[in-house]
Amino acid sequence: MRWRDRYGLRKQRGQRLAKFDREATDADIEALIEFAKSRRGVEFYVEPETFATDTTAVAVADDGEWTRRRVGSPKVIIKVARNLALPVYDVQLTGYPARMRAYNERRKQAEG
């Protein structure tokens, strides 16, 4: 069964699982990796587990574009970030970058 857990999701998470959320999968981690490889200046921001959602990570590019995926445990995204030589931050300590909010505003103006 180890071969199916490529990123150590089950090992790092342990028995904890948010009550209403689905588990993180390899596809979630691969989506973050693909995002990071296809954009410049990507940083990861780890969001804590809540009662309703599993631990997530937000990947933010230098232009503010972002994506959020489940990661199961902060240890998983830290390992991925280390392999990609990218920084990872705890969003509770640093907050989200201003460029992410600016990107959201640009998208909102383009839509409306």
Side-chain angles (χ1 to χ4, degrees):
M1 188 176 227
R2 174 80 178 144
W3 61 274
R4 297 197 69 194
D5 192 15
R6 290 178 41 194
Y7 301 103
L9 296 172
R10 290 162 200 79
K11 181 177 91 172
Q12 299 296 341
R13 183 186 62 245
Q15 296 301 316
R16 297 178 305 121
L17 182 62
K19 299 288 184 199
F20 299 115
D21 203 14
R22 69 168 177 83
E23 289 185 46
T25 64
D26 288 351
D28 292 320
I29 305 303
E30 288 166 3
L32 289 170
I33 292 170
E34 180 59 34
F35 183 89
K37 287 182 175 181
S38 64
R39 287 153 181 89
R40 295 179 336 140
V42 173
E43 299 172 331
F44 293 111
Y45 293 83
V46 178
E47 300 173 321
E49 178 180 358
T50 67
F51 180 74
T53 61
D54 202 359
T55 301
T56 55
V58 178
V60 183
D62 67 347
D63 67 349
E65 182 182 4
W66 60 276
T67 187
R68 175 182 287 119
R69 296 288 190 273
R70 291 167 185 83
V71 293
S73 166
K75 292 178 182 178
V76 173
I77 195 61
I78 290 169
K79 180 181 175 183
V80 168
R82 187 180 317 122
N83 290 342
L84 295 172
L86 296 173
V88 60
Y89 304 104
D90 183 337
V91 77
Q92 291 181 307
L93 300 176
T94 64
Y96 296 102
R99 67 183 184 275
M100 184 176 163
R101 288 186 290 281
Y103 177 80
N104 288 342
E105 284 299 316
R106 287 192 308 269
R107 278 188 36 199
K108 194 181 297 184
Q109 289 175 358
E111 291 175 1

